[in-house]
């Protein structure tokens, strides 16, 4: 048997058989190109897609510097032009966030990409919605 992941870029789904005449059963059974699936998902509800994109980028930009700060606090890296924000204590003497100017945009982009990758993989792998 072929690996099911190799069939992601096939022109039709592997679980759909051809009928007796060699024609596909219907147009809805064709396997869409994965990039087109993401485009269709985003254009179904543009306002929701924009809100989701902004939210994911914002979360990445806000959380990224704090996560990145662990590298600075434990001596893993040091920035040439660090930005320091006190978190705990007077003037950050207990805990401070040490980052640099390009970290929030970088993590914002990462949040955006990871958020949409999650949506895209759900579509490609045909994950069913689970309601608790």
């Amino acid at each position: 048997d072929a690996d099911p992941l190799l069939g992601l870029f096939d022109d039709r789904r592997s679980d759909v058989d051809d009928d007796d005449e060699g024609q596909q059963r219907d147009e809805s059974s064709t396997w869409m190109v994965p990039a087109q699936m993401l485009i269709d998902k985003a254009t179904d509800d543009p306002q929701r897609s924009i809100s989701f994109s902004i939210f994911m980028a914002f979360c990445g930009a806000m959380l990224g510097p704090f996560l990145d700060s662990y590298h600075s606090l434990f001596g893993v890296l040091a920035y040439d032009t660090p930005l320091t924000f006190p978190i705990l204590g007077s003037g950050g003497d207990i805990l401070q966030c040490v980052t640099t100017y390009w970290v929030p945009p970088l993590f914002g982009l990462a949040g955006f990409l990871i958020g949409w990758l999650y949506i895209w993989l759900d579509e490609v792998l045909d994950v069913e919605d689970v309601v608790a």
Side-chain angles (χ1 to χ4, degrees):
D1 286 336
D3 185 354
L5 292 178
L6 294 177
L8 289 179
F9 298 98
D10 287 348
D11 60 341
R12 66 181 180 94
R13 293 179 65 161
S14 60
D15 60 341
V16 176
D17 297 323
D18 292 340
D19 62 13
D20 295 335
E21 298 164 3
Q23 301 295 323
Q24 291 179 343
R25 291 184 184 163
D26 61 7
E27 193 171 313
S28 66
S29 68
T30 60
W31 183 258
M32 294 170 42
V33 176
Q36 186 62 43
M37 293 171 73
L38 187 60
I39 292 168
D40 291 346
K41 186 77 169 176
T43 56
D44 283 345
D45 187 355
Q47 183 61 38
R48 183 176 180 195
S49 298
I50 291 168
S51 298
F52 175 76
S53 298
I54 291 171
F55 178 72
M56 293 305 293
F58 178 77
C59 287
M62 292 293 106
L63 293 174
F66 294 107
L67 298 173
D68 177 63
S69 184
Y70 284 104
H71 295 110
S72 300
L73 292 174
F74 293 107
V76 176
L77 61 79
Y79 293 114
D80 292 333
T81 54
L83 299 174
T84 305
F85 303 100
I87 298 174
L88 288 175
S90 60
D93 58 349
I94 297 175
L95 182 61
Q96 60 185 353
C97 177
V98 180
T99 189
T100 192
Y101 68 92
W102 50 264
V103 170
L106 181 69
F107 275 86
L109 177 63
F112 170 83
L113 292 174
I114 291 169
W116 277 105
L117 182 63
Y118 187 117
I119 302 293
W120 180 68
L121 286 173
D122 278 353
E123 289 293 317
V124 169
L125 300 176
D126 200 22
V127 175
E128 296 292 327
D129 290 337
V130 177
V131 179

